[in-house]
Amino acid sequence: MRAEIVRNLTAGGGQSVPAPIDIPLEGEAIDLDASENYFNRELSQLQFNYRVLKQALDTTHPLINRLIFCCIFSSNMDEFFEIRVAGLRQQIKYGRETLGADGIMPEQALSEISRVAHEYIDEQYDILNHVLIPEMEKENIHFVRRREWTPEQAKWVRTYFDEEILPVVSPIGLDPSHPFPRLVNKSLNFIVELDGKDAFGRETGMAIVPAPRSLPRLVRLPDEVCNGGENLVFLSSVIHAHADELFPGMEIKGCYQFRLTRNADLELEDDLEDLASALRGELLSRRFGDGVRLEVADNCPQELVQFLLTEFGLGQRDLYQVNGPVNLTRLMAVTGLVDRPDLLYSSFSPSIPRQIRSKETIFDAIRKRPILLHHPFQNFSPVVDFLRQAAKDPQVLAIRQTLYRTGANSEIVEALADAARRGKEVTVVVELRARFSEAENLELASKLQEAGVIVVYGVVGYKTHTKMILIVRREEGRLRRYVHLGTGNYHAVNARLYTDYSYMTCDESIGDDVNKLFQQLTGMGKALKIKKLFHAPFTLHKRLLSLVERETALGESGRIIFKINALTEVQLIKALYRASQAGVQVDLIVRGICSIRPGIPGLSDNIRVRSIVGRFLEHTRVYYFGNDGKPDVYCSSADCMERNLLSRVETAFPIEDPELVGRVREDLDTYLADNCQSWMLQPDGSYIQNQPSEGEERVASQLVLLERLTAKP
């Protein structure tokens, strides 16, 4: 299939830092360590965020979902500043600058990030104001501005302000006894210019109004004060309109919204005596870390902008003046305020394989043959049932599980707690340091402990990112191990939004391997010999390298397909370069960050990199090696990043059943055939979206999988 390349990702052509393409002379050796052979990870991550933003312009998505993509871009950018930009600033602050394979120093990276992020965020607001809002107006969904309020609407808003906002807002005048308040990370705030004297005779020119997080950022106007349609007002408009009520007797010269993004990464020492207690203390600091970005309304006077920058210790490159609400993420509330299912993705029913439905218990089904589920196209419920049945089954003696993200009130947690209350030996490895899920994981750990579950927190210094369940069951006088291994988290909501594989088996070798991994996580001792699984930080990196090298030895008959979320690990990139030089065909389906540089003559002629962005977040991780017609296929919890392969607890598990191997390859081929939702990485670092040629059939991989798998009996 030939796809016509039609759209460049960025106006400037992609990679922001100049990335010259040096074509080697014939016979000239190529230096695999040369910095020009690697893209910067932060700039690559920015480009992924931009591909998400571009979905807001894709009219094949329903209108409200396009707005949601605009919101997701905001959420992604928030995390990018909180973690990646904050990390670079910390390197500079403490003199710990490190030079990556791309050769870009932190200061240079921050300058480029600022330039590109400003460009992308300006485009985001342009899309919101000139594309999405006008299109929603056509659908009779109105964001009603202050100047457009009718007398009836203005009266209703005034009442809403008096009853719902005024009682919970605490305006803070700035004077010697009222210093600048310590504002929470990403909170909505207003800086207000004042004139006059207050009740105590104090003269002040400025005040800060923090908007409580409990207040909705969008408010729906009641139908009785509107002339049809869905009518919404921004909280910022309501506060702007009635700011004078917060400062009676004072003249309001101006009121401007702003938001500060802070460093939200947590730093914990490796020699902690109590990880949970230390983490509880660190979570407070996340709300008040160093400032990394200031968003301000674009009509805010420059003297006030400079005042805020000085207060937060930021410079001009950290300033983002925006034409609209400073936190577009909260616009996701539209889905709950507007009843327009016709403007959202149509619902679907994930399938459950007949193999599971036709057996009395899930254990009977697994004994017959291993089960492979592809979420969200196939239901996550069999994974929950796996634990529910185990909890109630008198033949089950023990359950062990890792939890990274799941939610304290999930059915998974309930099943584990139920099993413990029924007297089964239940051990759960809870990863407390799952970013932005730490508080929730502390809560679920306490809930499990109260039910009698043995809870451990893995290994300090190595995040437990692997997804494993081990169930020990007595059958016919012997013990049999049943295993679930996954590429994604045990989170039922995410399983409707993320693509992931679930694998269930009672293979004795895999069961023994998983048992040994749990021994390593909960006990102490030397690394145990593992038969079938690859596991980080011990064997996964080495085994992936050796399998790439095996394909390299096959030359032009070699075949490699990786489907992952990120690729930055330098040794693996070098191995893939060598494979390409040997003639191996290498297809990399990399959702987000990608440091490899494809299509360079003599270096990566045979490497193709594509990113799939669509309705679902691509999250499956698959490593496919052709092996001269006898393919080796591994699914994994790990991406190809240094942290995953070398400093986390991860697993890669083999898919050995020939039918399941064929299924995985069919899925990979579907992604490779995508000519609608795929973006091709170019040698210069830009991404270009594929579109079908004239007369060519459209192939949207996620839609194909949705139709194929939800329709299966």
Side-chain angles (χ1 to χ4, degrees):
M1 175 179 295
R2 183 178 70 84
E4 180 186 355
I5 295 175
V6 296
R7 272 200 288 175
N8 198 314
L9 174 61
T10 67
Q15 184 75 9
S16 304
V17 173
I21 302 174
D22 294 326
I23 300 177
L25 299 175
E26 187 174 350
E28 180 182 356
I30 294 178
D31 180 8
L32 297 184
D33 291 312
S35 60
E36 62 264 23
N37 295 331
Y38 302 90
F39 294 131
N40 178 266
R41 65 161 291 170
E42 276 76 26
L43 297 173
S44 181
Q45 186 170 343
L46 268 180
Q47 289 186 319
F48 166 68
N49 292 347
Y50 189 64
R51 294 195 292 280
V52 172
L53 176 61
K54 281 296 187 182
Q55 303 307 302
L57 293 174
D58 187 341
T59 56
T60 64
H61 299 300
L63 180 55
I64 292 179
N65 290 110
R66 289 165 58 194
L67 176 65
I68 290 172
F69 277 115
C70 191
C71 298
I72 293 171
F73 171 79
S74 281
S75 177
N76 288 353
M77 292 298 288
D78 284 350
E79 183 172 345
F80 179 77
F81 277 93
E82 289 174 298
I83 304 301
R84 300 310 309 174
V85 171
L88 292 172
R89 291 174 63 96
Q90 290 290 92
Q91 287 186 42
I92 295 169
K93 179 178 179 179
Y94 295 110
R96 300 194 303 240
E97 291 98 329
T98 57
L99 188 66
D102 54 83
I104 299 174
M105 291 297 288
E107 183 62 38
Q108 183 186 6
L110 285 173
S111 294
E112 281 300 311
I113 286 168
S114 176
R115 185 185 70 79
V116 176
H118 276 90
E119 177 187 327
Y120 290 174
I121 290 170
D122 286 347
E123 183 170 348
Q124 177 192 25
Y125 280 87
D126 186 63
I127 291 171
L128 176 69
N129 292 320
H130 300 112
V131 178
L132 296 177
I133 289 179
E135 289 191 25
M136 296 188 85
E137 291 278 348
K138 294 176 183 176
E139 292 291 342
N140 217 8
I141 300 172
H142 311 286
F143 294 90
V144 189
R145 309 288 184 174
R146 275 183 293 160
R147 62 180 179 273
E148 300 168 345
W149 293 348
T150 65
E152 293 81 7
Q153 290 170 343
K155 182 180 179 181
W156 185 90
V157 169
R158 173 62 182 266
T159 301
Y160 181 86
F161 177 85
D162 289 341
E163 295 179 354
E164 300 292 333
I165 297 177
L166 190 58
V168 297
V169 169
S170 298
I172 302 167
L174 302 182
D175 66 14
S177 63
H178 297 86
F180 198 97
R182 197 178 184 194
L183 302 175
V184 174
N185 181 32
K186 297 184 298 184
S187 59
L188 172 63
N189 304 279
F190 300 85
I191 185 166
V192 182
E193 271 192 296
L194 300 170
D195 194 18
K197 293 183 179 181
D198 71 359
F200 297 94
R202 295 174 301 184
E203 230 176 325
T204 178
M206 210 175 299
I208 300 297
V209 180
R213 295 200 173 210
S214 59
L215 294 176
R217 275 21 179 190
L218 271 180
V219 180
R220 191 179 190 281
L221 292 173
D223 293 341
E224 55 266 27
V225 298
C226 301
N227 294 318
E230 312 276 358
N231 297 272
L232 308 169
V233 295
F234 292 107
L235 175 68
S236 54
S237 295
V238 178
I239 291 178
H240 281 145
H242 298 287
D244 57 334
E245 295 295 310
L246 300 171
F247 304 95
M250 307 286 284
E251 180 187 353
I252 306 297
K253 297 170 65 178
C255 178
Y256 311 97
Q257 58 179 307
F258 71 93
R259 188 174 77 134
L260 177 69
T261 306
R262 296 181 180 273
N263 180 349
D265 210 3
L266 301 180
E267 292 190 12
L268 297 172
E269 301 296 329
D270 288 344
D271 57 350
L272 296 172
E273 292 184 5
D274 186 336
L275 177 60
S277 296
L279 189 59
R280 287 188 180 95
E282 281 294 311
L283 284 174
L284 181 61
S285 70
R286 168 176 284 168
R287 304 174 70 200
F288 300 107
D290 292 343
V292 296
R293 174 184 58 167
L294 176 65
E295 297 166 277
V296 183
D298 61 0
N299 63 341
C300 185
Q302 282 307 301
E303 59 269 21
L304 295 187
V305 170
Q306 191 56 52
F307 171 79
L308 291 172
L309 287 173
T310 302
E311 184 65 38
F312 299 132
L314 298 174
Q316 284 297 318
R317 75 179 178 192
D318 309 309
L319 171 66
Y320 292 79
Q321 294 183 278
V322 299
N323 181 21
V326 293
N327 183 3
L328 296 186
T329 305
R330 296 288 290 268
L331 287 184
M332 286 190 185
V334 166
T335 58
L337 296 171
V338 171
D339 184 21
R340 289 295 300 273
D342 57 309
L343 300 181
L344 289 163
Y345 292 127
S346 57
S347 61
F348 67 95
S349 298
S351 64
I352 297 177
R354 179 181 293 152
Q355 176 187 349
I356 299 174
R357 290 186 282 113
S358 64
K359 294 298 176 183
E360 186 174 341
T361 71
I362 200 163
F363 303 110
D364 296 330
I366 295 171
R367 279 198 306 274
K368 182 177 180 181
R369 67 182 307 174
I371 295 167
L372 183 70
L373 301 172
H374 193 173
H375 313 302
F377 317 109
Q378 293 178 299
N379 214 309
F380 186 71
S381 62
V383 180
V384 179
D385 291 341
F386 187 50
L387 284 169
R388 280 178 172 165
Q389 292 181 24
K392 295 177 172 59
D393 190 337
Q395 293 174 273
V396 170
L397 306 179
I399 302 173
R400 296 172 189 167
Q401 182 168 3
T402 60
L403 290 178
Y404 190 76
R405 299 186 202 277
T406 187
N409 299 315
S410 77
E411 296 174 301
I412 293 279
V413 173
E414 289 298 328
L416 291 168
D418 182 42
R421 286 191 287 264
R422 291 173 183 267
K424 302 187 189 305
E425 188 75 14
V426 182
T427 303
V428 177
V429 181
V430 177
E431 180 47 71
L432 292 181
R433 294 158 299 174
R435 184 174 290 149
F436 299 118
S437 295
E438 297 94 344
E440 198 169 35
N441 284 2
L442 284 166
E443 182 184 349
L444 76 87
S446 297
K447 186 172 184 177
L448 289 170
Q449 287 170 327
E450 289 169 3
V453 174
I454 299 170
V455 175
V456 297
Y457 301 130
V459 182
V460 173
Y462 295 86
K463 279 189 180 181
T464 302
H465 193 249
T466 182
K467 283 72 180 179
M468 306 185 298
I469 300 173
L470 176 67
I471 293 174
V472 181
R473 191 170 188 262
R474 187 178 297 282
E475 297 176 0
E476 299 176 351
R478 61 184 288 264
L479 298 182
R480 189 192 298 270
R481 297 186 179 104
Y482 292 85
V483 169
H484 173 274
L485 294 160
T487 66
N489 299 301
Y490 293 109
H491 199 299
V493 174
N494 286 354
R496 295 280 301 201
L497 305 173
Y498 294 12
T499 69
D500 273 306
Y501 281 121
S502 277
Y503 182 63
M504 290 184 275
T505 181
C506 59
D507 179 278
E508 289 189 11
S509 295
I510 290 180
D512 187 52
D513 285 353
V514 171
N515 182 59
K516 288 176 179 175
L517 289 180
F518 274 111
Q519 283 181 269
Q520 288 178 192
L521 289 171
T522 61
M524 299 183 75
K526 298 290 185 183
L528 300 171
K529 184 175 177 58
I530 303 296
K531 298 172 186 174
K532 286 190 175 182
L533 300 185
F534 302 160
H535 65 304
F538 303 108
T539 65
L540 178 54
H541 184 235
K542 295 175 184 175
R543 293 305 304 273
L544 287 178
L545 287 175
S546 67
L547 288 171
V548 171
E549 289 164 2
R550 186 188 66 187
E551 296 300 312
T552 302
L554 294 173
E556 293 184 2
S557 62
R559 186 74 170 104
I560 295 172
I561 307 173
F562 287 0
K563 184 177 183 300
I564 48 182
N565 302 321
L567 172 60
T568 63
E569 204 285 308
V570 173
Q571 295 305 314
L572 191 54
I573 291 175
K574 288 181 182 178
L576 292 169
Y577 280 150
R578 289 190 289 269
S580 174
Q581 290 173 325
V584 179
Q585 295 300 310
V586 180
D587 276 292
L588 306 173
I589 308 165
V590 186
R591 183 192 77 203
I593 304 166
C594 185
S595 295
I596 202 168
R597 189 169 184 167
I600 303 298
L603 175 69
S604 53
D605 318 58
N606 298 308
I607 296 176
R608 293 162 296 278
V609 180
R610 72 194 67 220
S611 172
I612 307 291
V613 184
R615 173 177 181 174
F616 306 111
L617 183 71
E618 287 298 332
H619 199 250
T620 49
R621 301 165 173 112
V622 180
Y623 301 101
Y624 179 97
F625 302 94
N627 193 26
D628 204 18
K630 301 179 289 294
D632 286 324
V633 178
Y634 289 84
C635 295
S636 181
S637 62
D639 287 309
C640 296
M641 304 180 76
E642 293 84 350
R643 69 184 190 190
N644 299 88
L645 300 178
L646 302 171
S647 59
R648 284 188 173 185
V649 178
E650 305 269 17
T651 53
F653 47 94
I655 306 298
E656 297 176 314
D657 182 282
E659 182 179 327
L660 299 185
V661 169
R663 269 191 54 198
V664 173
R665 179 57 194 266
E666 185 180 17
D667 292 346
L668 292 174
D669 286 342
T670 300
Y671 286 115
L672 294 176
D674 190 305
N675 58 14
C676 298
Q677 297 176 323
S678 60
W679 298 74
M680 301 300 297
L681 177 58
Q682 304 301 299
D684 68 350
S686 63
Y687 279 80
I688 298 177
Q689 187 174 5
N690 287 327
Q691 285 191 356
S693 302
E694 185 177 351
E696 185 179 18
E697 181 184 0
R698 290 177 56 86
V699 179
S701 54
Q702 293 184 353
L703 182 59
V704 171
L705 291 167
L706 195 63
E707 293 175 348
R708 178 193 301 160
L709 293 174
T710 57
K712 277 196 169 183

